[in-house]
Amino acid sequence: MEGAVAEALREGPGEAVRLYVAACAERMAPLFMGLRSGAAGREADLDLYAESVRDLWYADRPLADPAERLRRLERFPELQPDEEGITGVADTYAFFAALCLRYALLAHGSGNADDAVSCGHVVLTAMGMLDQNLSGASLLADEQRLQSLSLSGDAAGLWDASVTAGRERFRAVVGRLPR
């Protein structure tokens, strides 16, 4: 993460932190939603994820039930310890998406810049891994640009850019899935 982004988060108002994490979560949402849709017994998880990402965009006010959302999120299979680790493509990116949402919820609730920085790091790590596995990809550079844009305060433009980036990332990951 660029030092300037981390510094701006630490020095800016809580609303800037909340907008930043909302955008990070939006960009990762298609990975969780798309990779887990249709999985048996995951309907409530998908609903929680979608509702949380939507509600994070209300950067001017705190979430009504952040502790309950975190409690439910932390029970997701993606965030449970596994002796074998995560090896599959879909599982890896669903994990990153769930972890991103965890930090986003923490940062939104507390306004804590360190949680926001962790949220951003998760996304950068995921995009860096994806770049390493896709010839000619520049998803990491795009994420760095979007994280800087997140500090602009233009929520509408940021939402549009985040939705578009999330779709592109989902297509890239789906292209890596075994056939």
Side-chain angles (χ1 to χ4, degrees):
M1 170 180 289
E2 290 183 27
V5 172
E7 184 178 329
L9 288 169
R10 288 188 176 100
E11 293 177 1
E15 190 169 326
V17 165
R18 290 191 294 273
L19 185 60
Y20 174 85
V21 298
C24 286
E26 185 71 51
R27 291 190 293 276
M28 295 298 283
L31 296 178
F32 188 84
M33 300 298 294
L35 296 171
R36 293 303 184 235
S37 69
R42 298 301 302 271
E43 295 83 8
D45 294 349
L46 290 164
D47 289 345
L48 173 68
Y49 200 100
E51 291 166 7
S52 294
V53 171
R54 178 199 65 211
D55 293 348
L56 286 170
W57 282 103
Y58 296 109
D60 60 335
R61 60 183 177 262
L63 296 171
D65 56 353
E68 174 61 19
R69 288 178 199 236
L70 275 169
R71 186 185 64 72
R72 290 175 51 205
L73 177 67
E74 288 175 347
R75 291 196 320 238
F76 280 19
E78 291 79 10
L79 298 179
Q80 300 307 306
D82 184 345
E83 290 180 21
E84 296 176 20
I86 301 171
T87 56
V89 172
D91 293 340
T92 298
Y93 291 99
F95 161 75
F96 281 127
L99 188 59
C100 172
L101 182 59
R102 180 184 180 276
Y103 283 118
L105 289 170
L106 286 169
H108 186 94
S110 68
N112 184 319
D114 290 336
D115 290 330
V117 167
S118 293
C119 182
H121 274 301
V122 167
V123 183
L124 290 169
T125 300
M127 293 307 99
M129 282 180 56
L130 199 49
D131 274 1
Q132 289 176 357
N133 291 296
L134 294 173
S135 177
S138 59
L139 297 165
L140 178 60
D142 189 47
E143 178 59 25
Q144 289 168 328
R145 179 187 64 78
L146 289 167
Q147 286 190 14
S148 293
L149 178 66
S150 297
L151 301 172
S152 71
D154 176 16
L158 181 58
W159 183 83
D160 288 339
S162 295
V163 168
T164 299
R167 288 179 184 153
E168 291 169 1
R169 293 166 186 192
F170 178 66
R171 282 191 293 272
V173 169
V174 168
R176 292 212 52 246
L177 294 176
R179 308 236 183 261

